[in-house]
């Protein structure tokens, strides 16, 4: 704005300078015309008439001379010199030094008038015009800057609200943006964002439906195939027609096929859990006891080798007065969903058992924070991969088989219940993974 104002002021001053010169040049021409009409002294005389001059208010006053065509001076003002101020041969209007000189010949009157006006008057007029244009700039520009700043901040404050809304959202939240009071120029931005969110929501719903339907439809034929495989194993074991190495090789191939079917069944279960997590299984919360959840889930791991590796730690609330033993807490209440918490804890335990090794112990700990912690002593996850493994189908560097869905399911459920999943690796002596599911207290 300062630059534009200065440019406009410069153009205005240039126009003023040109107009001032035109007006004053015209005035000098008129004065010269008036001088030509003054009475002429006798031609035989040599006396020059000196015209009286009004009192001047500055150092320089207008100079006037009247000559005959042969160069004899007949009229002049008191301050005008006796010699011509400019050549008398033709009509002139020139600026020389501090003077602007007009020479006006009148051949029919045998006269030449010379009028010289100081440039001081013209420069003074230009200076006063510049002051009139630029001095308000010093006062109005700060006021204009403050006013524009206030207006723009008021307008774009709504964009700050939009920014905060978008930053506060979870990764999977695609609800329409609602921001009121936006200027008309910014409304298409919000409308475009909402249309994008709507399209993304439709794509996600289609993906969820496909994954859920596919997993659901696959479970039945996989279960049937597993049943047929078990029947085949039974028949082969009791068969009398196949003996020795041939039976052993056949049983090995059947066992390998069974492992693949079990892995495929496990993948279907994980896809169904992921679909339920994406669909918001943990959004409808109520008071839930973490101790009950942990005990119920641990009962599902009923294989002897699993029970030997799993250990449940409950928070200590008091000391036994009789023997000095610690007493475990009876309950740790959180705000959540029983089914969703079961899915999350089941995935954390499965991950720990699968990736920590066949002999390492896994600790399931309930804390009054409240939180559920699952700690293993396996190889862990590289620190630079801790954020990546939360995404679907992303795995660590463990050689154990897996699909990379467990931590993604837990992360989605944690967000829906207003909690967080914290991963620490390594957590002791360069090994192990410490997964902490922090929840809201009831």
């Amino acid at each position: 704005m300062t630059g534009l104002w200065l440019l406009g002021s410069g153009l205005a001053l240039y126009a003023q300078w040109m107009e001032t010169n035109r007006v004053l040049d015209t005035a000098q021409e008129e004065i010269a015309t008036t001088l030509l009409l003054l009475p002429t002294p006798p031609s035989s005389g040599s006396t020059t008439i000196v015209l009286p001059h009004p009192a001047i208010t500055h150092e320089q006053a207008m100079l006037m001379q009247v000559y005959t065509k042969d160069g004899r001076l007949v009229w002049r003002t008191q301050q005008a010199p006796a010699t011509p101020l400019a050549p008398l041969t033709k009509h002139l209007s020139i600026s020389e030094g501090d003077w602007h000189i007009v020479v006006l010949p009148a051949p029919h009157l045998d006269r030449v008038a010379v009028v010289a006006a100081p440039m001081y008057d013209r420069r003074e007029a230009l200076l006063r015009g510049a002051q009139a244009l630029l001095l308000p700039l010093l006062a109005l520009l700060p006021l204009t800057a403050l006013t524009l700043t206030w207006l723009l901040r008021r307008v774009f404050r709504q964009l700050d609200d939009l920014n905060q809304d978008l930053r506060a959202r979870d990764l999977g939240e695609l609800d329409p943006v609602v921001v009121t009071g936006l200027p008309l120029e910014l409304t298409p931005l919000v409308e475009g964002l909402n249309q994008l969110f709507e399209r993304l929501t439709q794509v996600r719903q289609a993906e969820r439906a496909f994954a859920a339907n596919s997993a659901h439809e696959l479970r039945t034929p996989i279960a049937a195939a597993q049943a047929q495989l078990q029947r085949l194993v039974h028949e082969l074991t009791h068969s009398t027609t196949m003996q020795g190495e041939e039976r052993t090789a056949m049983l090995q191939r059947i066992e390998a096929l069974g492992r693949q079917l079990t892995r495929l069944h496990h993948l279907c279960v994980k896809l169904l859990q992921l679909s339920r997590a994406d669909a918001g299984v943990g959004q409808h919360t109520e008071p839930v006891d973490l101790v009950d959840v942990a005990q119920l889930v641990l009962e599902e791991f009923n294989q002897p080798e699993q029970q030997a590796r799993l250990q449940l730690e409950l928070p200590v609330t008091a000391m036994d007065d009789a023997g000095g033993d610690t007493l475990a807490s009876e309950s740790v209440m959180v705000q959540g969903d029983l089914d969703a918490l079961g899915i999350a804890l089941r995935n954390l335990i499965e991950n720990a058992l699968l990736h920590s090794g066949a002999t390492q112990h896994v600790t399931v700990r309930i804390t009054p924070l409240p939180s559920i912690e699952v700690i293993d002593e396996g190889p862990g996850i590289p620190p630079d991969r801790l954020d990546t493994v939360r995404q679907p189908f992303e795995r660590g560097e463990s050689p154990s088989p897996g699909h990379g869905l467990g931590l993604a399911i837990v992360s989605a459920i944690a967000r829906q219940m207003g909690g967080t999943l914290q991963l620490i690796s390594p957590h002791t002596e360069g090994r192990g993974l410490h997964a902490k599911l922090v929840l809201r207290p009831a």
Side-chain angles (χ1 to χ4, degrees), residues 353-430:
L353 291 174
L354 180 64
H355 299 295
S356 62
T359 60
Q360 297 293 336
H361 287 83
V362 175
T363 302
V364 179
R365 180 184 299 160
I366 308 298
T367 71
L369 185 57
S371 68
I372 302 178
E373 301 179 6
V374 178
I375 306 169
D376 66 66
E377 302 300 329
I381 300 174
D384 58 347
R385 295 277 298 169
L386 291 178
D387 290 333
T388 306
V389 294
R390 301 170 188 264
Q391 304 300 322
F393 302 103
E394 292 288 346
R395 304 180 65 243
E397 298 179 355
S398 171
S400 302
H403 307 289
L405 294 174
L407 293 178
I409 294 171
V410 179
S411 296
I413 291 175
R415 288 195 303 268
Q416 292 168 10
M417 292 190 296
T420 57
L421 174 61
Q422 301 174 6
L423 300 178
I424 303 172
S425 182
H427 69 87
T428 176
E429 298 181 358

Side-chain angles (χ1 to χ4, degrees), residues 195-270:
Q195 292 174 1
L196 174 61
F197 290 159
E198 182 179 358
R199 292 196 295 269
L200 289 176
T201 300
Q202 293 173 355
V203 171
R204 290 189 60 184
Q205 290 174 348
E207 290 179 349
R208 291 172 184 170
F210 174 76
N213 293 334
S214 300
H216 180 74
E217 294 297 329
L218 284 172
R219 289 181 67 183
T220 300
I222 290 174
Q226 287 178 319
Q228 293 295 329
L229 193 62
Q230 291 173 359
R231 182 178 176 181
L232 180 60
V233 171
H234 177 75
E235 294 175 352
L236 186 61
T237 303
H238 296 83
S239 174
T240 58
T241 59
M242 187 177 295
Q243 302 291 332
E245 294 182 358
E246 185 180 1
R247 175 188 290 181
T248 302
M250 183 65 68
L251 287 175
Q252 289 176 349
R253 289 196 294 270
I254 292 175
E255 289 177 359
L257 179 59
R259 287 194 298 270
Q260 294 300 323
L261 284 175
T262 300
R263 186 169 181 268
L264 184 58
H265 180 268
H266 186 261
L267 174 60
C268 291
V269 172
K270 292 296 181 183

